[in-house]
Amino acid sequence: MLKVLYKRILIHKYCRTITPTKKKQLDEKVIAQNMFQEKDDYLDSVSEEFVTSRLTKHQEVMCNNVFIGSIKSKNEKIRYSSPIMKLDRTGYRTRQRILLVTDVRLYLLTMDFKLKERLPLKDIQEIEVSPLRDGLFVIHTKGEQMDSSCCKGDLILLSDHCIECITKIVITGQFRDSMVKLAIDGSITHSLNNGKQGYIEFIRGARFLLKRGKHGLLQVVSTAAEKTNERLIN
């Protein structure tokens, strides 16, 4: 009985002293658990604190001078920022990008912060995620946009902080956890510009590799060791 009472006292004390920042962190971790507990690398993310920015100091300066100064709307607020790898929908060529998530849109910028693509959060239909440790996920959109700078189809992305990144997008867009799907069957189908579909297959292997398989599909061979900014497609 005393042990139970003592435990309750400790819990009550912890709840009274927890900071708003720490509470926000715990709330984000609960959401991540609901979405990713069956993903191979989920446990690796549990002890890693989620942050709002993965940019270097130089990139933060560029963001303030270029993105905030001339790209984003005046009332938009940045909720998350990180370097990321984008794969072309056709050919799957990898391109280094900066991902910026505001309370209104998702932006993909070049490394010198030139606008390449933007996607209103309201136009995100679903997010599909690799079940393995490779950090690949696909943002399915509701269709092509009229604006030339808007996405022309689904976004294929690679992140070293995949779970953090998607959790931030879900929270910012006030999406339900069910919008995020784990590709437990080992594959993801995505849209192409011409109305056709592309196919991504996930395979366990000795080393990380992106390679084109038969009929133009993308094969993602997954291992735990390598980082996305070192990844190339054969």
Side-chain angles (χ1 to χ4, degrees):
M1 183 65 184
L2 287 176
K3 286 184 178 180
V4 174
L5 181 60
Y6 180 62
K7 189 178 291 186
R8 288 178 179 174
I9 291 172
L10 290 178
I11 294 172
H12 181 66
K13 182 179 179 181
Y14 178 78
C15 291
R16 289 181 60 186
T17 58
I18 190 171
T19 64
T21 300
K22 184 64 175 177
K23 183 180 183 305
K24 179 183 177 183
Q25 183 74 205
L26 292 174
D27 290 341
E28 290 179 349
K29 290 293 184 177
V30 170
I31 293 172
Q33 180 183 27
N34 292 338
M35 296 186 294
F36 299 111
Q37 58 185 328
E38 300 301 323
K39 184 170 167 57
D40 276 11
D41 55 347
Y42 166 69
L43 291 179
D44 295 341
S45 75
V46 173
S47 61
E48 183 181 71
E49 184 173 329
F50 288 169
V51 299
T52 57
S53 176
R54 294 279 175 187
L55 302 184
T56 65
K57 290 183 179 180
H58 173 70
Q59 289 169 342
E60 290 284 4
V61 172
M62 290 287 291
C63 180
N64 289 331
N65 291 342
V66 181
F67 179 74
I68 294 177
S70 60
I71 297 177
K72 85 173 186 68
S73 300
K74 183 178 179 180
N75 295 327
E76 281 184 89
K77 295 181 179 180
I78 299 174
R79 302 302 187 190
Y80 183 70
S81 52
S82 178
I84 205 163
M85 195 78 74
K86 174 188 175 288
L87 277 71
D88 291 346
R89 287 176 289 274
T90 302
Y92 301 111
R93 179 179 176 182
T94 56
R95 302 178 187 275
Q96 289 186 321
R97 294 287 184 258
I98 297 293
L99 171 71
L100 288 170
V101 181
T102 73
D103 52 357
V104 180
R105 298 178 184 88
L106 182 155
Y107 293 85
L108 286 177
L109 313 173
T110 63
M111 300 308 288
D112 55 357
F113 282 78
K114 293 180 181 178
L115 177 63
K116 295 302 292 184
E117 295 182 272
R118 60 184 172 186
L119 174 68
L121 294 179
K122 64 182 179 62
D123 288 338
I124 295 177
Q125 187 172 45
E126 185 178 74
I127 301 175
E128 276 194 281
V129 192
S130 164
L132 306 182
R133 308 175 71 91
D134 47 74
L136 188 142
F137 62 100
V138 176
I139 298 178
H140 296 288
T141 66
K142 293 182 179 178
E144 294 190 10
Q145 310 297 316
M146 297 302 293
D147 190 330
S148 60
S149 65
C150 285
C151 296
K152 303 300 188 295
D154 296 340
L155 289 175
I156 307 170
L157 303 172
L158 269 171
S159 173
D160 282 335
H161 305 278
C162 172
I163 291 175
E164 171 189 89
C165 180
I166 296 172
T167 301
K168 293 289 188 179
I169 293 172
V170 167
I171 291 172
T172 302
Q174 299 181 347
F175 300 130
R176 297 185 179 212
D177 298 352
S178 57
M179 174 178 276
V180 177
K181 307 291 186 184
L182 205 61
I184 55 176
D185 65 346
S187 65
I188 292 177
T189 301
H190 64 89
S191 67
L192 300 172
N193 295 353
N194 53 12
K196 296 182 180 180
Q197 291 186 322
Y199 188 79
I200 303 171
E201 181 180 33
F202 302 100
I203 306 169
R204 285 186 174 87
R207 66 185 183 93
F208 181 87
L209 185 65
L210 297 175
K211 62 179 182 179
R212 298 185 191 92
K214 293 181 179 180
H215 310 297
L217 66 83
L218 173 66
Q219 290 183 322
V220 183
V221 183
S222 180
T223 184
E226 297 179 64
K227 298 291 186 181
T228 52
N229 59 11
E230 299 169 351
R231 297 169 181 172
L232 298 174
I233 186 166
N234 283 356

